Amino acid sequence: MSDLVALAVAVPIFGSLAALVAGLVRSESGWPVAVVACVAQVAIAARLAATAFGDGTITYVVGGFEAPYGIELLVDGLAATMLGLIAVVSLGVLAYARRAGPRSNPFYAVYLLLVAGLTGMSVTADLFNMYVFLEITGLAAYALVASGDRGRSAVAALKYLLVGTVGASLFLLGVGYAYIDTGTLNMADLATKLGDADPTLVHAAFAFIVVGLFIKVAVFPLHTWQPDAYAGAPDSVAALVSALVSTVAAYALLRVVYTVFGVGFLANNELAHAILVGGATVSIVAGSLLAVSQSEVKRMLAYSSVSQFGLVVAAIAIGNVTALMGAVVHLVGHAIMKGGLFLTAGLVATETGARRVEEFDGLVRRSPVGAGAFGVLAVAMVGVPPTVGFAGKWYIAVGAAESGSWALLAVIVGSTLLTLAYFARLVERMFFREPSDDLEPAIEAVADGGEAPDASLGMRATVVAAAVAAVALGLAVFGYSQHLQPTIEVLLS
C-alpha cells in the first residue's frame, strides 16, 4: 500500500512525458493520455483515502533510506483529502477543457506536471522536498497562465512568475534557517529539534516560510499576482489554478505551522500569532471590498479568493480542532465552488459573450444552465445552508468562539455580508433584469453541416456537477468531519 503514495506522484509525471511523446506522432493527441492519467490518479487517491481514514497514516521513504535521512512521503486524513480534491478537480477541469481548450499536447503535458507538483506538496513530509514541489507547481502554473492566445495572458504570467519567485525564495530562506541549527529537513524531526534551536533562527524561519506561503496563497497585500493571472488565463486554466494552486499552498501553510512549529510556538510567540491574525483580517476585508468594485467577473472572483483564503488563515491562527476542521472543509469547498464559478463564467462567455458584470443582465434567458449553476455556486460561496460554504464558515466561527477570539469572530461573521455584497448584484442581474438589446451572443446557431448545437455539453455537465457537489458536500461534511477529527487532534498534539 505504501508504494501507492509514490505512485500518486509518479503517475502524472509519466503522463506528462507520455503526452509530449504522443505529440510527436500526432498533434492534439494529449487529451486521452491526460484522461487516463487523471482517472488513474482518482483511483489511487480513493484507495489511499480509504486506507488512511480506515487504518491510519501511510508512510513511504524514497530509496529505502529511513527517515529522517530519506525523503519521507506521508498520507494521513488531511493529505488524503487534498489528494482526492486534486484528482477529482483536475479530472473535471480536463473534461471541460476538451471543448473549451487549450488543446495542444504541450498544454496537457504541463497540466499533468502541475497535478504532480500539487500532489507532491500534499504528501511530502520533508520541508525541502515541499519547496521542490512548490517550484514545480509554480513553473507549471506560470506556463499554463501564459497558454492563452492573447498578450494579456503573457503579461499576467510574467507578473505571476516574478511575484511567485519571490514567494518561493522566501520559503527556501526559511527552510535554510530551520536547517542551520537542526541539521534536518524532515518535518517531524524538525518539530522535535526546533525547541532546542536558537530562538532567533526559529523566528526567522517561521517568518520567511509564512510570508513566502502568504504570497502563494495570495494573502493581502501579497496578492497582486492573482487578479491578473486569473483574469488573463484561459477559462479552464483559471478554474484549475483558482481551485487548486492557492488551496494546496494554504494546506502547506497549515501543515508547516502545526507539524513543524507546533501549537506551543504560536502560544508563546505573540508576533507569530499576530502575523497570521493580521493577514487573515486584512485579506477578508480588503479582498471583499476590492471584489465589490470590479466590473469584470473573473477579476471579481479573483479578489473573492483573496477574502476566502483569509478565512482559512484565520482558522489556522485560531488553532483548535473545530477551527482547523473548518479550514480543511473550507479549502475543499472553496476549490469546488470557486473552480465551478470560473468554469461557469467561461461557459457563459462561450454561449453569450458576457464577461462583465453589466453584461449578465437577464442571463437566465440567454444561458439558463450557466445562470442556474452560477446562482447555486454564488449562494454556496455566501454560506447559505446546506451548502459546503456554510459548513466551512460554521466550523471556523464556532472555533473562534471556543477560543474566545471575539474580534476575529466578528470579522468572520462579517465576511458573509461582504461576500453577499458582491454576489447579490450578479444574482439580481441574472434573474431579475431584462437582457439588454445590444448584447450579441458570442457564438450563433450554426447552419446545417456546422458544429453541433450540443458542442458544449461537456462544459455544461461540468458546471452542473460543480453546483451539485457544492450542495452535496455540505450535506456530507458533518459525517466526514468525524473521520478527519483524529488527524486534526494528532496535528495539534
PDB file of all heavy atoms in Angstrom, residues 204-218:
ATOM      1  N   ALA A 204      13.094  33.534  12.557  1.00  0.00           N
ATOM      2  CA  ALA A 204      13.369  33.910  11.165  1.00  0.00           C
ATOM      3  C   ALA A 204      12.819  32.869  10.207  1.00  0.00           C
ATOM      4  O   ALA A 204      12.226  33.210   9.164  1.00  0.00           O
ATOM      5  CB  ALA A 204      14.877  34.086  10.960  1.00  0.00           C
ATOM      6  N   ALA A 205      12.999  31.595  10.554  1.00  0.00           N
ATOM      7  CA  ALA A 205      12.477  30.528   9.698  1.00  0.00           C
ATOM      8  C   ALA A 205      10.964  30.631   9.580  1.00  0.00           C
ATOM      9  O   ALA A 205      10.398  30.523   8.480  1.00  0.00           O
ATOM     10  CB  ALA A 205      12.873  29.162  10.268  1.00  0.00           C
ATOM     11  N   PHE A 206      10.286  30.844  10.701  1.00  0.00           N
ATOM     12  CA  PHE A 206       8.822  30.970  10.675  1.00  0.00           C
ATOM     13  C   PHE A 206       8.394  32.146   9.813  1.00  0.00           C
ATOM     14  O   PHE A 206       7.486  32.019   8.977  1.00  0.00           O
ATOM     15  CB  PHE A 206       8.298  31.143  12.101  1.00  0.00           C
ATOM     16  CG  PHE A 206       6.803  31.292  12.181  1.00  0.00           C
ATOM     17  CD1 PHE A 206       5.983  30.172  12.246  1.00  0.00           C
ATOM     18  CD2 PHE A 206       6.210  32.548  12.195  1.00  0.00           C
ATOM     19  CE1 PHE A 206       4.599  30.305  12.312  1.00  0.00           C
ATOM     20  CE2 PHE A 206       4.834  32.690  12.258  1.00  0.00           C
ATOM     21  CZ  PHE A 206       4.027  31.568  12.322  1.00  0.00           C
ATOM     22  N   ALA A 207       9.028  33.282  10.002  1.00  0.00           N
ATOM     23  CA  ALA A 207       8.628  34.485   9.265  1.00  0.00           C
ATOM     24  C   ALA A 207       8.815  34.302   7.767  1.00  0.00           C
ATOM     25  O   ALA A 207       7.917  34.627   6.971  1.00  0.00           O
ATOM     26  CB  ALA A 207       9.443  35.683   9.763  1.00  0.00           C
ATOM     27  N   PHE A 208       9.965  33.795   7.346  1.00  0.00           N
ATOM     28  CA  PHE A 208      10.219  33.629   5.913  1.00  0.00           C
ATOM     29  C   PHE A 208       9.280  32.597   5.286  1.00  0.00           C
ATOM     30  O   PHE A 208       8.755  32.809   4.188  1.00  0.00           O
ATOM     31  CB  PHE A 208      11.679  33.226   5.682  1.00  0.00           C
ATOM     32  CG  PHE A 208      12.640  34.380   5.716  1.00  0.00           C
ATOM     33  CD1 PHE A 208      13.676  34.413   6.641  1.00  0.00           C
ATOM     34  CD2 PHE A 208      12.516  35.438   4.824  1.00  0.00           C
ATOM     35  CE1 PHE A 208      14.561  35.470   6.674  1.00  0.00           C
ATOM     36  CE2 PHE A 208      13.398  36.512   4.857  1.00  0.00           C
ATOM     37  CZ  PHE A 208      14.428  36.524   5.786  1.00  0.00           C
ATOM     38  N   ILE A 209       9.076  31.478   5.972  1.00  0.00           N
ATOM     39  CA  ILE A 209       8.207  30.427   5.422  1.00  0.00           C
ATOM     40  C   ILE A 209       6.770  30.922   5.311  1.00  0.00           C
ATOM     41  O   ILE A 209       6.112  30.738   4.283  1.00  0.00           O
ATOM     42  CB  ILE A 209       8.295  29.157   6.285  1.00  0.00           C
ATOM     43  CG1 ILE A 209       9.653  28.479   6.100  1.00  0.00           C
ATOM     44  CG2 ILE A 209       7.177  28.187   5.920  1.00  0.00           C
ATOM     45  CD1 ILE A 209       9.892  27.298   7.020  1.00  0.00           C
ATOM     46  N   VAL A 210       6.284  31.565   6.356  1.00  0.00           N
ATOM     47  CA  VAL A 210       4.895  32.022   6.353  1.00  0.00           C
ATOM     48  C   VAL A 210       4.674  33.111   5.316  1.00  0.00           C
ATOM     49  O   VAL A 210       3.689  33.071   4.560  1.00  0.00           O
ATOM     50  CB  VAL A 210       4.490  32.506   7.760  1.00  0.00           C
ATOM     51  CG1 VAL A 210       3.163  33.262   7.711  1.00  0.00           C
ATOM     52  CG2 VAL A 210       4.377  31.323   8.709  1.00  0.00           C
ATOM     53  N   VAL A 211       5.573  34.073   5.239  1.00  0.00           N
ATOM     54  CA  VAL A 211       5.399  35.151   4.247  1.00  0.00           C
ATOM     55  C   VAL A 211       5.520  34.587   2.830  1.00  0.00           C
ATOM     56  O   VAL A 211       4.778  34.994   1.927  1.00  0.00           O
ATOM     57  CB  VAL A 211       6.419  36.280   4.486  1.00  0.00           C
ATOM     58  CG1 VAL A 211       6.340  37.323   3.365  1.00  0.00           C
ATOM     59  CG2 VAL A 211       6.165  36.950   5.835  1.00  0.00           C
ATOM     60  N   GLY A 212       6.448  33.648   2.628  1.00  0.00           N
ATOM     61  CA  GLY A 212       6.554  33.024   1.309  1.00  0.00           C
ATOM     62  C   GLY A 212       5.276  32.316   0.911  1.00  0.00           C
ATOM     63  O   GLY A 212       4.800  32.436  -0.226  1.00  0.00           O
ATOM     64  N   LEU A 213       4.670  31.601   1.854  1.00  0.00           N
ATOM     65  CA  LEU A 213       3.402  30.916   1.567  1.00  0.00           C
ATOM     66  C   LEU A 213       2.241  31.902   1.474  1.00  0.00           C
ATOM     67  O   LEU A 213       1.281  31.657   0.740  1.00  0.00           O
ATOM     68  CB  LEU A 213       3.130  29.852   2.625  1.00  0.00           C
ATOM     69  CG  LEU A 213       4.036  28.623   2.556  1.00  0.00           C
ATOM     70  CD1 LEU A 213       3.771  27.677   3.722  1.00  0.00           C
ATOM     71  CD2 LEU A 213       3.859  27.879   1.235  1.00  0.00           C
ATOM     72  N   PHE A 214       2.310  33.015   2.202  1.00  0.00           N
ATOM     73  CA  PHE A 214       1.293  34.061   2.051  1.00  0.00           C
ATOM     74  C   PHE A 214       1.227  34.536   0.600  1.00  0.00           C
ATOM     75  O   PHE A 214       0.147  34.797   0.062  1.00  0.00           O
ATOM     76  CB  PHE A 214       1.606  35.242   2.967  1.00  0.00           C
ATOM     77  CG  PHE A 214       1.001  35.145   4.340  1.00  0.00           C
ATOM     78  CD1 PHE A 214       0.436  33.963   4.804  1.00  0.00           C
ATOM     79  CD2 PHE A 214       0.984  36.244   5.186  1.00  0.00           C
ATOM     80  CE1 PHE A 214      -0.128  33.871   6.067  1.00  0.00           C
ATOM     81  CE2 PHE A 214       0.416  36.177   6.452  1.00  0.00           C
ATOM     82  CZ  PHE A 214      -0.138  34.992   6.894  1.00  0.00           C
ATOM     83  N   ILE A 215       2.396  34.666  -0.029  1.00  0.00           N
ATOM     84  CA  ILE A 215       2.422  35.085  -1.441  1.00  0.00           C
ATOM     85  C   ILE A 215       1.760  34.027  -2.305  1.00  0.00           C
ATOM     86  O   ILE A 215       0.964  34.339  -3.209  1.00  0.00           O
ATOM     87  CB  ILE A 215       3.867  35.345  -1.893  1.00  0.00           C
ATOM     88  CG1 ILE A 215       4.437  36.569  -1.171  1.00  0.00           C
ATOM     89  CG2 ILE A 215       3.925  35.555  -3.416  1.00  0.00           C
ATOM     90  CD1 ILE A 215       5.895  36.847  -1.470  1.00  0.00           C
ATOM     91  N   LYS A 216       2.062  32.765  -2.054  1.00  0.00           N
ATOM     92  CA  LYS A 216       1.494  31.684  -2.858  1.00  0.00           C
ATOM     93  C   LYS A 216      -0.016  31.548  -2.631  1.00  0.00           C
ATOM     94  O   LYS A 216      -0.762  31.208  -3.553  1.00  0.00           O
ATOM     95  CB  LYS A 216       2.187  30.362  -2.525  1.00  0.00           C
ATOM     96  CG  LYS A 216       3.658  30.319  -2.919  1.00  0.00           C
ATOM     97  CD  LYS A 216       3.824  30.377  -4.432  1.00  0.00           C
ATOM     98  CE  LYS A 216       5.262  30.185  -4.854  1.00  0.00           C
ATOM     99  NZ  LYS A 216       5.416  30.161  -6.332  1.00  0.00           N
ATOM    100  N   VAL A 217      -0.454  31.803  -1.403  1.00  0.00           N
ATOM    101  CA  VAL A 217      -1.882  31.729  -1.098  1.00  0.00           C
ATOM    102  C   VAL A 217      -2.614  32.950  -1.640  1.00  0.00           C
ATOM    103  O   VAL A 217      -3.807  32.885  -1.938  1.00  0.00           O
ATOM    104  CB  VAL A 217      -2.094  31.602   0.428  1.00  0.00           C
ATOM    105  CG1 VAL A 217      -3.569  31.648   0.792  1.00  0.00           C
ATOM    106  CG2 VAL A 217      -1.491  30.290   0.929  1.00  0.00           C
ATOM    107  N   ALA A 218      -1.901  34.068  -1.787  1.00  0.00           N
ATOM    108  CA  ALA A 218      -2.461  35.357  -2.208  1.00  0.00           C
ATOM    109  C   ALA A 218      -3.181  36.039  -1.051  1.00  0.00           C
ATOM    110  O   ALA A 218      -4.338  36.446  -1.147  1.00  0.00           O
ATOM    111  CB  ALA A 218      -3.387  35.217  -3.409  1.00  0.00           C
TER     112      ALA A 218
END
